[in-house]
Amino acid sequence: MSHNIYWDADQSDVLHIDLNGVTTWDAYHEIINAAFERVEATQQSVYAILHDRGTKPPEGPLPHFRKTIARAYATPNLMLAVSVDSHFPAFFARMVKVVLDIYFLNRPNKVPYVTSEAEAYAIIATHRQQRARSS
């Protein structure tokens, strides 16, 4: 397994979570829990970028994604957890987002899905600007 959790070298408030090689949901939750522990161990605001490079466990993802998103909403210093998956068909990503948005009705989108790291950084930059304007 080649997963990794690391802080961004240029942006100290960005935590990268590399899910490459995760083939079971138990392994997925182990990595996600370790990442949340890192976020919760700091007082600063944190932006997470989840890199998912294609391998997914065979069982359905929604209960596992729902659990992760619920924890994201329960972690006050986690500003966004942007999921980057270039292998995830855009249509399916939008459908998963719609289902999860219905489940987490009336909450800001804390876990957007994108298909590139550049998109993830753009969303983070926009979020930082919005936070700065509202402060």
Side-chain angles (χ1 to χ4, degrees), residues 1 11 17 19 23 30 56 70 85-86 88 101 119:
M1 196 177 308
Q11 299 182 39
I17 306 154
L19 298 170
T23 58
E30 183 179 318
K56 299 222 181 358
D85 187 345
S86 60
F88 209 42
D101 283 350
E119 287 178 272

Side-chain angles (χ1 to χ4, degrees), residues 51-114:
H51 302 274
D52 191 352
R53 295 185 171 92
T55 305
K56 299 222 181 358
E59 303 85 24
L62 284 179
H64 305 283
F65 291 171
R66 186 176 65 201
K67 182 177 179 181
T68 300
I69 292 170
R71 188 156 179 198
Y73 281 108
T75 305
N77 66 321
L78 179 63
M79 300 295 101
L80 294 173
V82 185
S83 182
V84 179
D85 187 345
S86 60
H87 293 93
F88 209 42
F91 173 77
F92 187 68
R94 284 193 302 273
M95 292 310 297
V96 168
K97 182 188 175 318
V98 167
V99 169
L100 293 173
D101 283 350
I102 290 168
Y103 183 80
F104 294 102
L105 196 59
N106 296 325
R107 293 189 180 182
N109 187 8
K110 203 170 183 178
V111 187
Y113 288 84
V114 298

Side-chain angles (χ1 to χ4, degrees), residues 7 39 43 87 134:
W7 292 101
V39 171
Q43 297 299 314
H87 293 93
S134 66

Side-chain angles (χ1 to χ4, degrees), residues 7 12-13 15 35-47 75-78:
W7 292 101
S12 62
D13 61 345
L15 181 68
F36 274 114
E37 288 170 9
R38 287 201 190 181
V39 171
E40 293 163 350
T42 183
Q43 297 299 314
Q44 74 176 6
S45 297
V46 175
Y47 294 91
T75 305
N77 66 321
L78 179 63

Side-chain angles (χ1 to χ4, degrees), residues 7-38:
W7 292 101
D8 192 283
D10 297 322
Q11 299 182 39
S12 62
D13 61 345
V14 175
L15 181 68
H16 292 269
I17 306 154
D18 189 341
L19 298 170
N20 191 32
V22 174
T23 58
T24 69
W25 288 113
D26 287 341
Y28 166 86
H29 288 294
E30 183 179 318
I31 297 161
I32 293 299
N33 288 338
F36 274 114
E37 288 170 9
R38 287 201 190 181

